[in-house]
Each structure stands twice: as C-alpha cells, then as structure tokens.
Amino acid sequence: MRQIVLDTETTGLDPAQGHRIIEIGCVELVDRRLTDNRYHVYLNPEREIDQGAVDVHGIDNAFLADKPRFADIVDDFLAFVKDSEVIIHNAPFDVGFINAELARLGSDYGRLEDYCTIFDTLTLARRKHPGQRNSLDALCKRYQIDNSHRELHGALLDAEILAAVYLAMTGGQVTLGLDTLPADTAAAGSASRASRPRPALKRVTCPEPELEAHRQRLQAIDQASGGNCLWLRYG
C-alpha cells in the first residue's frame, strides 16, 4: 500500500481570492513504513504573499523569485501522487489550492481526486477526540511526537510530522525497531538477551479449602452442561 503524506504553504488563505501555492512537501509511506522517497519544491506564485502568511511560514517573494512556477512542475507532482492515498491534515484547504492551480492550466488536468484518493487526518482526529484541539501541534503533544524543531511552518517538515501523527493515530507502534538495525547488530542484541540469567519462577500454592471449593464448582458446571466441563475433561 502506497501512501503520500502531503502539505502545502500558500500566499494566503483563499484560492478564490487569487492566492497561490508557494511550497509543496510530500513524504512516502509504503506498507506503513516511511521511505526515503520525497517530493519537495518551492514555487514562484507570481503575486505578493500576505504578511500574515509570511509570519507563519517565513517565506517571502525575494526567496521565490527564481523558483519554478506550478505549470513547470505539475507533471512531476501528479506522477508522484498518482495511484496513491494522499494523507492531508485539513484536506479541503490543500486540495482546494491544488485544484485551483490545476484549473488555471485548463480542463485537461482535471482535479487532484482524479489521480489519487484523499484521506483527511483532521476528520479522523475530530472523530477520535471530539471536543478537543486537533491541530497538528496539539496532536503531536497528545501522541508524544517531538516537534520542537518546528519553529515555523514548512511543507516538507509538516508532512514528516504528519506522517508520524497519522501512524500513531491509526495503529500505534508500527515497528519493533530491530528490523532497522544491521542484521549482525540485531542478532547480537537478541543473543545477549537470551543469554542473560533469568530468576527462578515463583511457585504459588493454593490452600486445600480453596482447591475443594474449585472442585465443587467444576462438578456443578459439569452437571449443568451435561458432562461437558472442559476443565474436568482436559485438566
């Protein structure tokens, strides 16, 4: 199963007002494991970035002046997400911006949903934690995921953090860790644990009155079940 965790940064809040995407960040999960496959690009939006947006992500027009336009990267981007499940936090926001960019290029490109399926982690979080804060930062705190390096929003960084949040929300621990170690290291660790001396098992005895009460209870069960008390048959 191939999943793509995606995030974007934009010039503002509403594509209907002409706001554009300035950064796309994606990480890949295959069978619920993070791979080294990434997609990351900064984009020249061909318009000014709202100051409020700059305060959030720290990206300004001077930095984006020599970056490609969405039209320059659209084919590579769609090829990366094609036939996957795309995981987004507050999906209507990012999908709305991506579809607005696709619409500017003409009807031939269609919509993001024509290339992949969409999974919204905000919808999942609200279902699992009704009435609570479900921002990405709040979920990191709830699931004990370190996001201390996130001083500003960034599409690739946020996608990496969201991948960890998604895995925690949908399955908890996804790997025991040994399979990420070299084979000889993992084997040595297992051998050392197996060779450690173990304490003797404690033997617990039961007083005779309790044993007799237990036998009487089993006899009553055997009578009520027509001789089908498994404890008596196999005990």
Side-chain angles (χ1 to χ4, degrees):
M1 181 179 179
R2 183 171 183 263
Q3 298 169 299
I4 301 298
V5 187
L6 178 148
D7 188 61
T8 65
E9 299 298 339
T10 63
T11 63
L13 297 177
D14 190 354
Q17 296 180 2
H19 286 292
R20 307 287 300 274
I21 296 174
I22 59 173
E23 184 186 8
I24 302 174
C26 303
V27 299
E28 180 186 62
L29 296 172
V30 175
D31 294 334
R32 293 181 58 81
R33 292 180 183 274
L34 193 65
T35 75
D36 292 329
N37 200 12
R38 304 280 196 273
Y39 181 87
H40 182 227
V41 64
Y42 290 104
L43 299 170
N44 184 337
E46 303 179 274
R47 61 154 291 157
E48 290 296 312
I49 305 173
D50 283 2
Q51 185 56 50
V54 175
D55 293 341
V56 169
H57 49 59
I59 304 171
D60 59 25
N61 286 98
F63 174 76
L64 299 174
D66 61 347
K67 301 301 185 287
R69 292 161 177 78
F70 186 83
D72 300 323
I73 59 89
V74 61
D75 293 326
D76 289 341
F77 167 67
L78 293 176
F80 187 83
V81 301
K82 185 174 175 61
D83 298 329
S84 69
E85 179 182 59
V86 174
I87 299 167
I88 308 172
H89 198 66
N90 190 17
F93 179 87
D94 300 84
V95 173
F97 268 93
I98 292 170
N99 284 339
E101 295 286 356
L102 294 173
R104 287 188 178 91
L105 303 179
S107 59
D108 289 346
Y109 278 101
R111 299 167 60 82
L112 180 62
E113 298 93 318
D114 298 328
Y115 300 87
C116 57
T117 59
I118 308 296
F119 184 92
D120 189 356
T121 51
L122 180 57
T123 299
L124 173 65
R126 286 171 172 168
R127 187 166 64 245
K128 290 176 67 70
H129 311 292
Q132 301 182 52
R133 293 180 62 249
N134 288 302
S135 66
L136 191 56
D137 286 335
L139 291 172
C140 285
K141 183 176 182 180
R142 186 171 299 138
Y143 288 98
Q144 299 181 328
I145 293 168
D146 182 16
N147 66 338
S148 57
H149 52 303
R150 185 184 186 240
E151 297 180 3
L152 293 171
H153 287 235
L156 184 60
L157 174 60
D158 286 0
E160 292 172 343
I161 293 172
L162 179 57
V165 167
Y166 166 78
L167 292 174
M169 280 202 299
T170 57
Q173 185 175 1
V174 293
T175 177
L176 295 178
L178 283 179
D179 55 350
T180 64
L181 298 175
D184 55 347
T185 304
S190 299
S192 65
R193 284 190 293 275
S195 63
R196 292 173 188 165
R198 298 183 180 182
L201 294 177
K202 180 183 290 187
R203 183 178 180 183
V204 179
T205 59
C206 186
E208 182 58 33
E210 292 186 18
L211 289 174
E212 179 59 28
H214 180 65
R215 284 192 289 266
Q216 292 178 7
R217 181 60 177 167
L218 292 182
Q219 291 293 341
I221 293 173
D222 195 54
Q223 290 180 1
S225 63
N228 291 315
C229 179
L230 297 180
W231 288 277
L232 288 177
R233 184 181 303 176
Y234 299 109

